[in-house]
Amino acid sequence: MQLNINGATHDVDVEPDTPLLWVIREELGLTGTKYGCGIAQCGACTVLIDGVATRSCVTPADSVAGLEIRTIETVEDTEIGRRVVEAWVENEVAQCGYCQSGQVLAATALLSDIPNPTDADIDGAMTNLCRCGTYNKIRAAVRSVSEA
Ligand code: FES
Ligand code: FES
């Protein structure tokens, strides 16, 4: 099947129900997208599908053929993504970093949809888990983009 990932078309030879996460990591070697729980709970595997934050561990590859898939490797190619990454650096959000690519993509999707999100919007969108507990800094970084 053909998948459009980070602006390029990739021919991938996998079973249709292969989780998109494994295509991204194993077939394409894009290891910025992480495996955490494998059951759509943690958000470490988040990618953007047509701009929507999506948990790739439970997304069959054939379900996203023809759609625009973006991973952390090219998030800065968009204006919002670039500003989110800058805010993450300025606010020194990351600790171990494992969850952060998913967090950055979730924030990028949120701020693309809602440039000035309320607390409720942020709570609703930023459901990714962080075992290091960086939630306060994540919130500060999201706010700094929305207030910029
Ligand atoms: S690995 Fe996909 S949500 Fe946890
Ligand atoms: S920064 Fe370590 S899991 Fe979030």
Side-chain angles (χ1 to χ4, degrees), residues 32 34-36 42-46 72 88 93-106 126 128-135 138:
K34 304 302 185 191
Y35 173 74
C42 73
C45 65
T46 299
I72 190 68
W88 246 244
V93 174
Q95 290 197 32
C96 82
Y98 197 84
C99 73
Q100 296 295 328
S101 53
Q103 305 278 10
V104 163
L105 289 170
M126 299 302 298
N128 297 28
L129 301 180
C130 174
R131 64 194 163 182
C132 300
T134 62
Y135 300 109
I138 287 170

Tab-separated table of all heavy atoms in Angstrom, residues 32 34-36 42-46 72 88 93-106 126 128-135 138:
chain	number	residue	atom	x	y	z
A	32	GLY	N	11.141	8.731	16.149
A	32	GLY	CA	10.626	9.770	17.053
A	32	GLY	C	9.265	9.422	17.608
A	32	GLY	O	8.869	9.913	18.669
A	34	LYS	N	6.920	7.032	19.525
A	34	LYS	CA	7.269	6.037	20.546
A	34	LYS	C	6.167	5.020	20.788
A	34	LYS	O	4.983	5.313	20.619
A	34	LYS	CB	7.588	6.742	21.869
A	34	LYS	CG	8.674	7.793	21.781
A	34	LYS	CD	9.982	7.226	21.263
A	34	LYS	CE	11.090	8.268	21.308
A	34	LYS	NZ	12.274	7.823	20.570
A	35	TYR	N	6.595	3.838	21.244
A	35	TYR	CA	5.667	2.818	21.738
A	35	TYR	C	5.617	2.916	23.247
A	35	TYR	O	6.656	2.856	23.919
A	35	TYR	CB	6.157	1.429	21.329
A	35	TYR	CG	5.356	0.318	21.939
A	35	TYR	CD1	4.083	0.021	21.487
A	35	TYR	CD2	5.869	-0.429	23.002
A	35	TYR	CE1	3.336	-0.988	22.057
A	35	TYR	CE2	5.132	-1.446	23.580
A	35	TYR	CZ	3.864	-1.722	23.104
A	35	TYR	OH	3.128	-2.723	23.679
A	36	GLY	N	4.412	3.082	23.771
A	36	GLY	CA	4.263	3.107	25.227
A	36	GLY	C	3.405	1.956	25.704
A	36	GLY	O	3.901	0.941	26.178
A	42	CYS	N	-1.747	5.959	26.330
A	42	CYS	CA	-0.702	6.883	26.793
A	42	CYS	C	-0.404	8.034	25.830
A	42	CYS	O	0.056	9.090	26.251
A	42	CYS	CB	0.584	6.114	27.079
A	42	CYS	SG	1.464	5.551	25.591
A	43	GLY	N	-0.597	7.823	24.553
A	43	GLY	CA	-0.346	8.887	23.572
A	43	GLY	C	1.093	9.009	23.106
A	43	GLY	O	1.411	9.890	22.309
A	44	ALA	N	1.981	8.138	23.567
A	44	ALA	CA	3.384	8.213	23.126
A	44	ALA	C	3.511	8.026	21.618
A	44	ALA	O	4.460	8.513	21.002
A	44	ALA	CB	4.224	7.157	23.841
A	45	CYS	N	2.559	7.336	21.023
A	45	CYS	CA	2.607	6.991	19.594
A	45	CYS	C	1.851	7.987	18.718
A	45	CYS	O	1.609	7.695	17.543
A	45	CYS	CB	1.995	5.613	19.400
A	45	CYS	SG	0.227	5.623	19.831
A	46	THR	N	1.510	9.149	19.272
A	46	THR	CA	0.665	10.107	18.544
A	46	THR	C	1.326	10.599	17.262
A	46	THR	O	2.503	10.972	17.260
A	46	THR	CB	0.350	11.311	19.451
A	46	THR	OG1	-0.354	10.844	20.599
A	46	THR	CG2	-0.475	12.365	18.717
A	72	ILE	N	6.641	13.504	14.274
A	72	ILE	CA	7.432	14.533	14.962
A	72	ILE	C	8.620	14.997	14.115
A	72	ILE	O	9.052	16.151	14.217
A	72	ILE	CB	7.928	14.006	16.335
A	72	ILE	CG1	8.536	15.110	17.181
A	72	ILE	CG2	8.908	12.837	16.155
A	72	ILE	CD1	7.557	16.145	17.656
A	88	TRP	N	8.295	24.646	23.643
A	88	TRP	CA	8.741	23.502	24.462
A	88	TRP	C	10.176	23.733	24.944
A	88	TRP	O	10.516	23.441	26.086
A	88	TRP	CB	8.650	22.215	23.645
A	88	TRP	CG	7.638	21.239	24.150
A	88	TRP	CD1	7.893	19.991	24.649
A	88	TRP	CD2	6.201	21.396	24.193
A	88	TRP	NE1	6.726	19.369	25.015
A	88	TRP	CE2	5.671	20.213	24.744
A	88	TRP	CE3	5.330	22.428	23.842
A	88	TRP	CZ2	4.306	20.030	24.946
A	88	TRP	CZ3	3.971	22.237	24.034
A	88	TRP	CH2	3.473	21.060	24.581
A	93	VAL	N	10.303	21.985	28.833
A	93	VAL	CA	9.250	21.033	29.196
A	93	VAL	C	9.817	19.633	29.450
A	93	VAL	O	9.482	18.981	30.442
A	93	VAL	CB	8.176	20.963	28.085
A	93	VAL	CG1	7.166	19.876	28.400
A	93	VAL	CG2	7.494	22.312	27.918
A	94	ALA	N	10.662	19.170	28.558
A	94	ALA	CA	11.014	17.749	28.569
A	94	ALA	C	11.857	17.357	29.778
A	94	ALA	O	12.747	18.100	30.196
A	94	ALA	CB	11.768	17.405	27.285
A	95	GLN	N	11.571	16.191	30.311
A	95	GLN	CA	12.466	15.586	31.312
A	95	GLN	C	13.131	14.386	30.629
A	95	GLN	O	14.120	14.563	29.931
A	95	GLN	CB	11.684	15.245	32.570
A	95	GLN	CG	11.283	16.517	33.299
A	95	GLN	CD	10.865	16.297	34.721
A	95	GLN	OE1	11.352	15.410	35.417
A	95	GLN	NE2	9.933	17.116	35.177
A	96	CYS	N	12.587	13.187	30.775
A	96	CYS	CA	13.232	12.079	30.050
A	96	CYS	C	12.981	12.194	28.542
A	96	CYS	O	13.749	11.700	27.741
A	96	CYS	CB	12.733	10.730	30.553
A	96	CYS	SG	11.159	10.203	29.843
A	97	GLY	N	11.876	12.849	28.191
A	97	GLY	CA	11.582	13.100	26.789
A	97	GLY	C	10.746	12.044	26.102
A	97	GLY	O	10.273	12.275	24.985
A	98	TYR	N	10.561	10.904	26.743
A	98	TYR	CA	9.938	9.782	26.036
A	98	TYR	C	8.554	10.120	25.499
A	98	TYR	O	8.221	9.772	24.370
A	98	TYR	CB	9.852	8.554	26.949
A	98	TYR	CG	9.611	7.297	26.169
A	98	TYR	CD1	10.664	6.596	25.593
A	98	TYR	CD2	8.308	6.819	25.961
A	98	TYR	CE1	10.444	5.454	24.846
A	98	TYR	CE2	8.089	5.682	25.212
A	98	TYR	CZ	9.151	5.002	24.662
A	98	TYR	OH	8.941	3.874	23.925
A	99	CYS	N	7.768	10.822	26.290
A	99	CYS	CA	6.386	11.121	25.876
A	99	CYS	C	6.286	12.355	25.005
A	99	CYS	O	5.207	12.658	24.491
A	99	CYS	CB	5.517	11.339	27.110
A	99	CYS	SG	5.866	12.926	27.939
A	100	GLN	N	7.385	13.098	24.862
A	100	GLN	CA	7.258	14.478	24.396
A	100	GLN	C	6.922	14.624	22.910
A	100	GLN	O	6.268	15.593	22.521
A	100	GLN	CB	8.515	15.278	24.737
A	100	GLN	CG	8.751	15.421	26.243
A	100	GLN	CD	7.681	16.233	26.953
A	100	GLN	OE1	7.117	17.151	26.376
A	100	GLN	NE2	7.402	15.893	28.202
A	101	SER	N	7.341	13.689	22.074
A	101	SER	CA	6.953	13.853	20.672
A	101	SER	C	5.436	13.764	20.546
A	101	SER	O	4.820	14.531	19.790
A	101	SER	CB	7.667	12.846	19.772
A	101	SER	OG	7.501	11.542	20.236
A	102	GLY	N	4.838	12.857	21.295
A	102	GLY	CA	3.376	12.764	21.272
A	102	GLY	C	2.735	14.003	21.852
A	102	GLY	O	1.710	14.489	21.347
A	103	GLN	N	3.321	14.539	22.901
A	103	GLN	CA	2.765	15.758	23.522
A	103	GLN	C	2.821	16.929	22.540
A	103	GLN	O	1.867	17.702	22.418
A	103	GLN	CB	3.563	16.118	24.783
A	103	GLN	CG	3.689	15.030	25.822
A	103	GLN	CD	2.489	14.910	26.745
A	103	GLN	OE1	1.448	15.525	26.511
A	103	GLN	NE2	2.629	14.102	27.779
A	104	VAL	N	3.959	17.069	21.869
A	104	VAL	CA	4.138	18.189	20.920
A	104	VAL	C	3.111	18.074	19.787
A	104	VAL	O	2.515	19.074	19.364
A	104	VAL	CB	5.580	18.190	20.375
A	104	VAL	CG1	5.701	19.044	19.113
A	104	VAL	CG2	6.539	18.680	21.451
A	105	LEU	N	2.885	16.872	19.301
A	105	LEU	CA	1.919	16.708	18.208
A	105	LEU	C	0.501	16.955	18.703
A	105	LEU	O	-0.315	17.556	17.988
A	105	LEU	CB	2.068	15.319	17.588
A	105	LEU	CG	3.353	15.170	16.768
A	105	LEU	CD1	3.573	13.715	16.377
A	105	LEU	CD2	3.328	16.038	15.522
A	106	ALA	N	0.181	16.521	19.917
A	106	ALA	CA	-1.156	16.797	20.465
A	106	ALA	C	-1.358	18.303	20.612
A	106	ALA	O	-2.429	18.833	20.288
A	106	ALA	CB	-1.320	16.090	21.809
A	126	MET	N	-5.134	17.574	25.650
A	126	MET	CA	-3.823	17.101	26.105
A	126	MET	C	-4.015	15.933	27.081
A	126	MET	O	-3.827	16.072	28.295
A	126	MET	CB	-3.051	18.255	26.755
A	126	MET	CG	-2.783	19.424	25.818
A	126	MET	SD	-1.862	18.976	24.326
A	126	MET	CE	-0.325	18.399	25.025
A	128	ASN	N	-2.383	13.028	26.766
A	128	ASN	CA	-1.206	12.146	26.757
A	128	ASN	C	-0.628	12.025	28.162
A	128	ASN	O	-0.587	13.004	28.904
A	128	ASN	CB	-0.123	12.718	25.842
A	128	ASN	CG	-0.569	12.795	24.390
A	128	ASN	OD1	-1.746	12.922	24.112
A	128	ASN	ND2	0.373	12.738	23.479
A	129	LEU	N	-0.169	10.842	28.494
A	129	LEU	CA	0.414	10.611	29.820
A	129	LEU	C	1.907	10.926	29.808
A	129	LEU	O	2.588	10.754	28.800
A	129	LEU	CB	0.208	9.153	30.232
A	129	LEU	CG	-1.252	8.697	30.297
A	129	LEU	CD1	-1.325	7.240	30.723
A	129	LEU	CD2	-2.067	9.577	31.238
A	130	CYS	N	2.392	11.422	30.954
A	130	CYS	CA	3.817	11.697	31.131
A	130	CYS	C	4.245	11.148	32.479
A	130	CYS	O	3.829	11.646	33.513
A	130	CYS	CB	4.087	13.205	31.072
A	130	CYS	SG	5.808	13.614	31.461
A	131	ARG	N	5.074	10.125	32.456
A	131	ARG	CA	5.467	9.507	33.729
A	131	ARG	C	6.399	10.414	34.517
A	131	ARG	O	6.624	10.204	35.710
A	131	ARG	CB	6.093	8.142	33.495
A	131	ARG	CG	7.377	8.204	32.715
A	131	ARG	CD	7.812	6.857	32.215
A	131	ARG	NE	8.795	7.056	31.161
A	131	ARG	CZ	9.356	6.088	30.475
A	131	ARG	NH1	9.040	4.841	30.713
A	131	ARG	NH2	10.228	6.339	29.542
A	132	CYS	N	7.003	11.411	33.866
A	132	CYS	CA	7.851	12.365	34.571
A	132	CYS	C	7.042	13.517	35.177
A	132	CYS	O	7.590	14.328	35.914
A	132	CYS	CB	8.908	12.941	33.646
A	132	CYS	SG	10.014	11.707	32.954
A	133	GLY	N	5.773	13.617	34.833
A	133	GLY	CA	4.926	14.649	35.436
A	133	GLY	C	5.203	16.057	34.938
A	133	GLY	O	5.220	17.013	35.714
A	134	THR	N	5.382	16.227	33.649
A	134	THR	CA	5.690	17.553	33.099
A	134	THR	C	4.429	18.359	32.773
A	134	THR	O	4.500	19.347	32.034
A	134	THR	CB	6.543	17.421	31.818
A	134	THR	OG1	5.785	16.709	30.821
A	134	THR	CG2	7.848	16.701	32.082
A	135	TYR	N	3.318	17.973	33.332
A	135	TYR	CA	2.037	18.558	32.910
A	135	TYR	C	1.984	20.081	33.070
A	135	TYR	O	1.430	20.775	32.229
A	135	TYR	CB	0.880	17.907	33.667
A	135	TYR	CG	0.799	16.427	33.441
A	135	TYR	CD1	1.116	15.525	34.449
A	135	TYR	CD2	0.422	15.915	32.191
A	135	TYR	CE1	1.047	14.163	34.237
A	135	TYR	CE2	0.358	14.551	31.969
A	135	TYR	CZ	0.671	13.678	32.997
A	135	TYR	OH	0.606	12.324	32.780
A	138	ILE	N	3.948	21.638	30.298
A	138	ILE	CA	3.224	21.469	29.031
A	138	ILE	C	2.151	22.548	28.919
A	138	ILE	O	2.014	23.224	27.892
A	138	ILE	CB	2.598	20.065	28.957
A	138	ILE	CG1	3.680	19.013	28.722
A	138	ILE	CG2	1.513	20.001	27.866
A	138	ILE	CD1	3.215	17.580	28.873
